[in-house]
Amino acid sequence: FLGLGFSRDKSLVPFLIRYLADQRNKYRSYAAWCLGEIGDVDAMPALVDALRDPERMVSYYSSRALYELVKDNKDEDLVKKLPIDESDEWLALNNIDIIYRVLGKKAAGHFLQQAPNLENPRILASVISCLSLCEADEENNTFLLKSLKELCLL
């Protein structure tokens, strides 16, 4: 199955998209990974839907596949759809990393909108870390200082 991704054959995309709905978690995960390796933007809507898959690895490979698809063209709207959901810390941290890698310093506004609602200290620390790498502006600095004080780091 994984060989399909290595083939980079775009004619396989419809076949792999169908596997994103398979009952078996393993095949859904493999399909998401393969779609990222093939790199066809036609897979984006299906991969965005797969971000909400109840199986963690399907969500993970879907977000990584989307990263592969948008890393060069910097599709800001798509990247902002990656969930920073505290119900799955591991996936949230992965998505924070992807958002920052794709948007770079432009991620500050997105993170500033998300951060006030975050309660998980690791996820919040990851957002603060990314914000500290973003271009400083008054709103960013104010949020960073407030968050660091609340975390008893200052």
Side-chain angles (χ1 to χ4, degrees):
F1 204 109
L2 295 179
L4 300 176
F6 291 123
S7 75
R8 309 257 194 285
D9 181 353
K10 293 185 181 206
S11 70
L12 295 171
V13 169
F15 169 79
L16 291 166
I17 287 173
R18 283 193 302 275
Y19 266 94
L20 285 175
D22 195 274
Q23 290 181 340
R24 295 162 289 192
N25 296 339
K26 177 171 52 173
Y27 290 146
R28 292 195 315 276
S29 296
Y30 290 164
W33 181 86
C34 289
L35 288 166
E37 290 299 305
I38 290 172
D40 187 343
V41 295
D42 289 342
M44 282 186 176
L47 288 166
V48 168
D49 289 343
L51 289 171
R52 293 184 297 277
D53 193 284
E55 171 58 33
R56 165 190 263 192
M57 294 310 294
V58 176
S59 298
Y60 170 77
Y61 284 120
S62 296
S63 66
R64 282 290 170 192
L66 287 166
Y67 169 70
E68 291 299 323
L69 294 174
V70 302
K71 68 182 179 185
D72 295 327
N73 69 3
K74 310 284 188 213
D75 186 333
E76 292 181 29
D77 292 332
L78 179 64
V79 172
K80 289 177 181 178
K81 290 181 182 177
L82 295 175
I84 301 176
D85 182 358
E86 291 186 294
S87 66
D88 189 335
E89 179 182 281
W90 180 73
L91 185 61
L93 294 172
N94 176 63
N95 288 342
I96 290 167
D97 177 55
I98 290 171
I99 292 165
Y100 183 74
R101 284 179 189 227
V102 172
L103 299 181
K105 294 178 179 182
K106 291 181 181 179
H110 179 66
F111 287 141
L112 285 169
Q113 288 177 333
Q114 299 285 319
N117 303 318
L118 298 174
E119 295 179 9
N120 181 310
R122 286 190 199 143
I123 294 172
L124 184 57
S126 182
V127 167
I128 290 169
S129 176
C130 288
L131 281 170
S132 70
L133 299 171
C134 293
E135 256 178 48
D137 64 25
E138 189 172 330
E139 184 181 10
N140 189 354
N141 287 341
T142 301
F143 174 78
L144 280 173
L145 288 172
K146 179 179 176 256
S147 297
L148 291 172
K149 285 178 184 174
E150 286 175 6
L151 292 171
C152 302
L153 297 175
L154 283 182

